[in-house]
Amino acid sequence: MHGAVVANAAAEHSQLESGTIALALQGGGSLGAYTWGVLDALLADSRLRIEGVTGASAGAINAALLAVGLSAGGPDRARELLRTFWEALAAAADRRRVWMFDPVRWLRRNLWRLTSAQAFYELMTRIVADFDIDPGTMEPLRGTLEATLDYTVLSRPDAVRVFVNATNVRTAEPRVFSGPEVNTDAICASAAVPMVMQPVEIDGEHYWDGGLLGDPVVYPVIYGCGTRDIVLVQSRPMECNSVPGTAAEVVSRTVALASSAGLVRELRMIAFVTQLLDEGPRPGYRQIQLHVISPHPSLRTLDCAQMFRADKGFFLHLRHLGHERGRQWLASLDVVASGLDGDRVRAPSARPRG
């Protein structure tokens, strides 16, 4: 980890030091609709204020939607943008639906260029998804982002801090886009799944899925936010019920394993430095509390290939599971805040905003 900041790692910790939190959002393709549900529940709770958010892949999409919405119009606007995006993406996928794909016929037509990267991406997008994904432009994702988000609000001094994680293909280093750097290119770079999408070029460098090095990287909200309370929203179950049996499942599970490895390394480092702090104070370090909203148990029944599925019914099902999980976490939550006289007060149970 960079610098000298540390977290007190705790799974499913349910007491916040204050109502101000920062979020770390996992990716997972279509499982981002699950995180939409979790965020919708959190945004409806009047006890919470979100200072910043970091995300990779689909987590970066939700992070941008959340930050733009909160900065432009508060929790209600953020909830509206999240719904608008996921429903619009499903509608766009429907318009590009491919009901039959004959790989043998495709191979015969493209045999002469089969070893090119372009042909590889085209073949993979047709194998893993039942709608047409352009591996170069990343449509329909790119167009849906452009139609939904006004990034200019992120340049305001009072904007919610947002951090979009991507992986530099050349250097194998993480790149964190923040504030005015966050735009459609940055989000597409964070969501560019290897073997399916071409790397996205930004300022002469090429980037793939941010989840490859950490799903997500947590340190941006440790260093970029003042709150001690960081909430990790997990959308990927760590375990897979079966060995991948299709091309889509192979790609999905490969990315999931790489993503989990990066996050596990960072969390272990957080836990290690926490132990050092427990032995005594260390100049330049501060303690944080890491809270975890784990995946809904029902997500374990989904096969790996579902991360490439895009239809409204599926998105709404995932949103329902996420909302249920978010409300479960909130129901067990205690918020301890400082009163005006300096005394410690405990906020009551969840109070929906409406």
Side-chain angles (χ1 to χ4, degrees):
M1 285 188 55
H2 304 174
V5 183
V6 66
N8 181 11
E12 306 289 357
H13 193 79
S14 60
Q15 180 172 297
L16 302 182
E17 183 182 71
S18 71
T20 300
I21 62 174
L23 296 171
L25 308 181
Q26 278 195 328
S30 296
L31 294 180
Y34 168 82
T35 303
W36 161 30
V38 175
L39 295 177
D40 191 75
L42 299 184
L43 288 165
D45 193 303
S46 60
R47 297 173 297 170
L48 302 180
R49 185 182 77 85
I50 298 171
E51 180 184 0
V53 55
T54 181
S57 198
I61 295 171
N62 283 322
L65 292 164
L66 180 71
V68 169
L70 286 173
S71 301
D76 289 342
R77 179 58 176 157
R79 295 173 76 183
E80 179 185 358
L81 281 184
L82 284 160
R83 176 175 290 277
T84 297
F85 171 82
W86 286 103
E87 291 186 351
L89 183 62
D94 282 341
R95 292 190 294 271
R96 303 168 69 96
R97 199 70 66 188
V98 179
W99 296 110
M100 286 189 61
F101 171 63
D102 186 341
V104 175
R105 180 179 299 176
W106 187 95
L107 286 170
R108 287 173 178 170
R109 289 201 312 265
N110 294 276
L111 190 60
W112 61 276
R113 65 187 188 102
L114 192 58
T115 58
S116 71
Q118 178 66 31
F120 176 78
Y121 293 128
E122 289 179 6
L123 177 60
M124 289 303 299
T125 57
R126 284 162 174 78
I127 289 176
V128 302
D130 69 346
F131 64 98
D132 181 26
I133 300 174
D134 189 313
T137 66
M138 293 187 63
E139 293 291 355
L141 173 61
R142 180 178 291 275
T144 308
L145 288 169
E146 290 285 356
T148 308
L149 289 172
D150 175 9
Y151 301 100
T152 60
V153 298
L154 298 178
S155 299
R156 298 177 185 174
D158 61 344
V160 171
R161 303 296 306 277
V162 58
F163 306 94
V164 169
N165 319 156
T167 300
N168 189 306
V169 176
R170 181 180 63 85
T171 66
E173 291 289 333
R175 167 73 189 273
V176 178
F177 299 90
S178 63
E181 296 177 324
V182 175
N183 54 30
T184 298
D185 280 341
I187 298 171
C188 284
S190 182
V193 179
M195 297 185 285
V196 179
M197 282 90 167
Q198 297 178 25
V200 176
E201 183 177 358
I202 301 175
D203 298 331
E205 294 285 358
H206 292 80
Y207 298 94
W208 259 330
D209 196 318
L212 291 174
L213 297 180
D215 189 19
V217 290
V218 181
Y219 70 80
V221 287
I222 296 178
Y223 295 96
C225 298
T227 180
R228 290 180 59 183
D229 290 305
I230 297 174
V231 181
L232 170 63
V233 181
Q234 293 183 306
S235 55
R236 293 182 189 268
M238 295 291 286
E239 296 181 358
C240 184
N241 289 332
S242 60
V243 176
T246 67
E249 291 175 357
V250 169
V251 173
S252 177
R253 189 57 181 163
T254 300
V255 173
L257 289 171
S259 302
S260 299
L263 178 62
V264 167
R265 284 194 298 270
E266 188 171 12
L267 295 183
R268 284 177 176 170
M269 180 60 72
I270 289 172
F272 171 72
V273 184
T274 296
Q275 291 179 349
L276 296 181
L277 267 188
D278 288 342
E279 297 172 0
R282 294 173 181 269
Y285 287 77
R286 72 182 181 100
Q287 281 195 321
I288 67 169
Q289 295 286 346
L290 181 65
H291 315 270
V292 179
I293 302 179
S294 60
H296 193 285
S298 294
L299 293 183
R300 296 186 178 91
T301 65
L302 299 178
D303 63 63
C304 298
Q306 297 295 309
M307 72 171 287
F308 295 106
R309 179 178 171 183
D311 60 79
K312 185 175 180 179
F314 184 57
F315 284 170
L316 291 179
H317 171 65
L318 292 174
R319 185 257 180 203
H320 172 75
L321 294 178
H323 196 269
E324 180 180 306
R325 194 61 165 171
R327 288 180 63 86
Q328 289 172 352
W329 185 77
L330 289 166
S332 65
L333 185 66
D334 285 328
V335 179
V336 179
S338 295
L340 295 178
D341 58 358
D343 294 333
R344 304 286 282 177
V345 298
R346 189 177 303 279
S349 298
R351 298 176 304 208
R353 288 188 172 94

